Every structure is written in C-alpha cells, then in structure tokens.
C-alpha cells in the first residue's frame, strides 16, 4: 500500500511539472522602458475592448479617406456661399416633421452654454442634432459628455477652428476661410476624431463655421464620409434675434424644414423664443426628428 501511495504521489509531481511547463510556453520575454527583460504571459497581455476595436476600425477608414482626398485632383472651385451645390438644406418629405439643429461655435465669445434652452428641450423630450465645435468641447467637456449620452441629442461636427471651407482664400462674416485641401481636411477630420474618441461615435453630418463653403470642399467632405447640412430656416440669426423674432422665424417652418439655432449664447433671447415657437408648432401637429431619419435634399 505504501509503495502505491508513493507511486501516485510521484505521478502527481510529474504531472504538476508538466502543467507548469505548459504554462511557461505561454510566457513571452519583453523589454521594459529601461531595456530590462520582463516576463509577460498571455493572461497579462492587455485586451482591446469591442468599443476600442470599433474606434480603431473607424479611424483606419478615416485615415484612408484622408489620403485619398489629399491625393485627388478636384479642379478649381466655381461657387462659394451657404447654398452651393451639394449642401443639404431640407428633409425630403411631406410629413409634418422639423429638424432642430443647434450650433455650439466655441472660441473666446462663443463657448457659453444655454442651460435654459437645453433644459427646455430635455423637459419636453424634443429631439435635436447638435453641431459642436472642437473649441466648445474643450471648455464644456462635462456638459458635452452629458449631451452626447442622451438619446434625444445626436452629436455632429461643427469644425475644428470654426472656419468657412474653401480651397482658395475667402472670408464670411469676418472669418477667414481655409485656403488649401490640407486645411479643409484638418478642419473636418480633427474634430471628427475628437468626437469619436470621446463618444465612441463618428458624426454623420458636418456644418462649417459660418456655414459657408466652396463646391470643391463640399465634394471633399462627402469623400471624407460626412454630409454637409445647412438649413432653410434661420431661427435666431446667430443668437442675435429678440425672442419675438426667434418665434416668428421658427413659425415659418414647413414639412421637412431644418432650423438653425445656437446653444452657446446663454445671454441671448434664443431660449425664450424657442419655448414659445416649439409649443405652437407642437399644437400645429409638427413633431421633431433627427436628421438621419429622413433623406436630405
């Protein structure tokens, strides 16, 4: 009996040694920052989450698009303005629906947050597409993340430095445009990447600072994977309208209208005008939708 127990114990030790050898084969010698060898096993290796993997795939596609656009000859531009060829201004529908689009422009005089306006939309469950500039995100990071996590709002791209888009030097409302293909790509994609990194989602729509473009930049934007969206109703005149003017302008909306407003000027009368106008529009049978719910024209 004693011999049998001894044999069993011996076999167990042998098996244990084999198991340790199998584990050792999964180890990998790597160097740390000081050049010293450290042991890293498969179990210790960092894992990439599905969310991070998705981001990496999107970024890879965006980088490929950037290279393609920068190496493509688009010819010379012939148009410059808010309503050039390819810019979408309405939803293609006869349904009584309206898309609210709110800009947050950023910069020294444009990085505020209109809590009264946004709280009203939240309380009344009003959908909106938020066109956010990179500079506004930097100042309002916490508010941005809260808005991005709310399904009532869809985050869109309002540019990196809030510049009009053009392949040659132009200006709109006193703001100098981009002047090269490379600057156009940076104005679109730098903020595209910022929003993707923070939210895990890539904006589908783009609106430039001042909403001015040339026809070449519109084609470039589409090749970069975004659709340029302006408006057919100017809701608050860059947050300069009185509440009466805001209400009057918004009530001009028809089936499929896209309204532009601003959410970055809390001292304006935009919020008060929007409250009155939305309540009236709801009474008239309109509903508010996201841009992606309808084909744009």
């Amino acid at each position: 009996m004693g011999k049998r127990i001894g044999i069993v114990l011996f076999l167990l030790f042998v098996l244990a040694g084999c198991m340790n050898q199998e584990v050792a084969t999964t180890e990998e010698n790597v160097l740390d920052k000081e050049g010293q060898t450290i042991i890293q096993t498969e179990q210790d290796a960092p894992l990439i989450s599905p969310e991070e993997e998705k981001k990496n795939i999107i970024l890879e596609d965006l980088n490929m698009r950037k290279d393609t656009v920068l190496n493509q000859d688009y010819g010379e531009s012939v148009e410059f303005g808010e309503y050039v060829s390819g810019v979408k201004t309405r939803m293609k529908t006869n349904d009584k629906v309206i898309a609210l689009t709110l800009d947050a422009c950023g910069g020294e005089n444009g990085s505020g947050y209109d809590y009264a306006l946004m709280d009203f939309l939240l309380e009344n469950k009003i959908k909106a597409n938020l066109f956010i500039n990179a500079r506004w995100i930097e100042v309002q990071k916490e508010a941005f993340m809260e808005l991005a996590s709310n399904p009532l709002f869809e985050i869109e791209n309002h540019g990196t430095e809030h510049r009009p888009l053009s392949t040659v030097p132009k200006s709109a409302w006193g703001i100098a445009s981009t002047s090269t293909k490379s600057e156009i790509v940076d104005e679109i994609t730098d903020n595209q990447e910022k929003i993707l990194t923070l939210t895990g989602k890539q904006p589908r729509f783009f609106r430039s600072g001042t909403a001015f473009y040339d026809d070449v930049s519109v084609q470039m934007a589409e090749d970069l994977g975004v659709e340029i969206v302006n408006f057919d109703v100017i809701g608050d005149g860059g947050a300069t309208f009185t509440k009466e003017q805001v209400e009057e302008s918004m009530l001009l909306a028809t089936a499929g209208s896209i309204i532009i407003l601003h959410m970055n000027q809390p001292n304006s009368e935009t919020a008060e005008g929007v409250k009155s106008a939305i309540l009236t529009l709801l009474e008239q049978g309109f509903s508010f939708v996201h841009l992606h719910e309808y084909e744009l024209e």
Side-chain angles (χ1 to χ4, degrees), residues 104 113 115 118 130-150 153-158 191-201 203 263:
Y113 182 46
Y115 282 97
M118 303 310 293
L130 311 182
F131 285 80
I132 311 293
N133 181 259
R135 302 171 305 170
W136 194 89
I137 295 173
E138 288 301 314
V139 175
Q140 301 285 355
K141 181 74 69 67
E142 183 177 349
F144 171 79
M145 295 305 295
E146 289 181 1
L147 293 168
S149 67
N150 193 308
F153 306 126
E154 293 191 347
I155 304 298
E156 312 300 350
N157 188 343
H158 194 34
N191 195 36
Q192 196 81 344
E193 292 177 13
K194 177 187 284 289
I195 293 171
L196 171 63
T197 300
L198 290 173
T199 69
K201 298 178 181 179
M263 53 175 281

Side-chain angles (χ1 to χ4, degrees), residues 31-45:
L31 299 180
D32 63 14
K33 292 181 179 179
E34 286 72 34
Q36 300 297 315
T37 301
I38 60 175
I39 302 299
Q40 184 182 52
T41 65
E42 290 181 359
Q43 186 175 2
D44 296 329

Side-chain angles (χ1 to χ4, degrees), residues 15-244:
L15 287 172
C18 292
M19 291 174 64
N20 287 337
Q21 288 178 358
E22 289 176 359
V23 171
T25 61
T26 67
E27 294 175 344
E28 179 182 0
N29 291 338
V30 295
L31 299 180
D32 63 14
K33 292 181 179 179
E34 286 72 34
Q36 300 297 315
T37 301
I38 60 175
I39 302 299
Q40 184 182 52
T41 65
E42 290 181 359
Q43 186 175 2
D44 296 329
L47 298 176
I48 299 178
S49 68
E51 292 77 12
E52 287 300 319
E53 186 175 2
K54 180 180 178 181
K55 285 183 188 178
N56 291 338
I57 292 172
I58 295 173
L59 285 173
E60 184 178 351
D61 175 71
L62 184 58
N63 286 328
M64 292 176 60
R65 288 175 178 271
K66 287 162 65 173
D67 289 340
T68 299
V69 167
L70 289 172
N71 288 296
Q72 182 168 328
D73 182 6
Y74 288 89
E76 296 183 1
S77 63
V78 295
E79 300 177 77
F80 181 73
E82 293 175 297
Y83 302 101
V84 302
S85 302
V87 173
K88 308 300 172 57
T89 61
R90 289 180 51 83
M91 295 178 288
K92 191 174 183 180
T93 181
N94 292 320
D95 296 345
K96 293 190 72 172
V97 293
I98 294 170
L100 290 184
T101 65
L102 280 64
D103 287 4
C105 306
E108 184 178 356
N109 300 309
S111 292
Y113 182 46
D114 195 336
Y115 282 97
L117 172 60
M118 303 310 293
D119 286 348
F120 172 80
L121 298 182
L122 286 166
E123 291 167 5
N124 290 274
K125 296 181 173 55
I126 303 297
K127 293 180 179 179
N129 289 74
L130 311 182
F131 285 80
I132 311 293
N133 181 259
R135 302 171 305 170
W136 194 89
I137 295 173
E138 288 301 314
V139 175
Q140 301 285 355
K141 181 74 69 67
E142 183 177 349
F144 171 79
M145 295 305 295
E146 289 181 1
L147 293 168
S149 67
N150 193 308
L152 281 176
F153 306 126
E154 293 191 347
I155 304 298
E156 312 300 350
N157 188 343
H158 194 34
T160 304
E161 297 181 355
H162 197 258
R163 302 174 70 184
L165 298 188
S166 176
T167 50
V168 295
K170 298 279 187 180
S171 67
W173 302 103
I175 300 177
S177 74
T178 58
S179 57
T180 65
K181 288 199 303 180
S182 179
E183 289 180 350
I184 291 170
V185 168
D186 290 346
E187 181 66 14
I188 295 173
T189 62
D190 284 0
N191 195 36
Q192 196 81 344
E193 292 177 13
K194 177 187 284 289
I195 293 171
L196 171 63
T197 300
L198 290 173
T199 69
K201 298 178 181 179
Q202 181 176 221
R204 178 173 175 175
F205 303 109
F206 178 88
R207 178 180 293 153
S208 72
T210 74
F212 272 65
Y213 321 81
D214 69 8
D215 50 313
V216 170
S217 65
V218 174
Q219 182 59 57
M220 288 176 61
E222 291 177 356
D223 291 344
L224 288 169
V226 292
E227 198 169 354
I228 289 186
V229 177
N230 275 2
F231 38 80
D232 67 326
V233 176
I234 298 176
D236 64 355
T240 64
F241 285 178
T242 64
K243 59 183 179 181
E244 290 82 12

